Amino acid sequence: EVQLLESGGRLVRPGGSLTLSCAASGFTFRSYAMSWVRQPPGKGLEWVSAISDSGTSTQSADSVKGRFTISRDNSKNTLYLHMNSLRVEDTAVYYCAKADTFILSTLVDVWGKGTTVIVSS
Amino acid sequence: EVVLTQSPDFQSVTPKERVTITCRASQGIGSSLHWYQQKPGQSPKLLIKYGSQSFSGVPSRFSGSGSGTDFTLTINGLEPEDAATYYCHQTGSLPLTFGGGTKVEIK
């Protein structure tokens, strides 16, 4: 069974930094692209970043470009989201999601349960 | 950026009724449109991929159609457990985008 377990979410001050992790199991992690998608409280879904199977290609939404970096460690079956210069509007549940192929711009077919990031002074 | 416009925003439906949700893309995306279901307090689940392909394990009452700019999700015979918010999502071009969601309530 495919499992994705996010961690690292917490309360952080505006301007602060945070790294989210996603531990993957139940599939060949190195063969699939991965994504982060977020959901602000009471709002809809927003794609954040995606990374190819090898980690050599990444893409991000304009709203986080230059502040967030997606990365992965295929030896540890783990996906990361490094978040800098956090803003109040980054407050959301952050979901880790598995793509259905190695291509980063493809649909995601399995989602984790999410981890909550709150940016507040 | 491809903007996805869903309608309606909210629908209150009696069990066993048919539900139709539409998703319009601001530019053509071929069949790169997918549908997710999100129940309160849960993460989204994939229902339909590439416009009309059912994802593994999804009940047959869920179906999708469309291509280009106009897409439809249909639930034939709504069940009480179908109360949820439904999102369309395009992977035809970057940045990837989602529709605003349609909340389906059971009367």
Side-chain angles (χ1 to χ4, degrees), chain A residues 37 39 43-47 59 61 95 100 104-113, chain B residues 34 36 38 42-46 49-50 55 87 89 91 94-100:
Chain A
V37 178
Q39 186 168 36
K43 296 190 177 180
L45 302 167
E46 180 188 15
W47 172 75
Q59 291 284 346
Y95 294 103
D100 75 335
L104 65 84
S105 60
T106 189
L107 72 103
V108 291
D109 57 6
V110 180
W111 302 59
K113 294 191 186 316
Chain B
H34 323 289
Y36 295 89
Q38 185 179 33
Q42 296 185 17
S43 54
K45 290 183 168 53
L46 179 63
K49 59 181 182 176
Y50 298 107
F55 187 57
Y87 293 95
H89 172 50
T91 57
L94 290 164
L96 308 184
T97 51
F98 288 88

Side-chain angles (χ1 to χ4, degrees), chain B residues 9-50:
Chain B
D9 294 333
F10 175 83
Q11 200 164 9
S12 184
V13 186
T14 304
K16 300 197 187 326
E17 267 191 70
R18 172 182 291 183
V19 174
T20 300
I21 299 170
T22 65
C23 179
R24 175 161 289 177
S26 60
Q27 61 193 72
I29 53 172
S31 60
S32 297
L33 190 285
H34 323 289
W35 292 96
Y36 295 89
Q37 175 194 64
Q38 185 179 33
K39 297 182 180 180
Q42 296 185 17
S43 54
K45 290 183 168 53
L46 179 63
L47 294 176
I48 302 291
K49 59 181 182 176
Y50 298 107

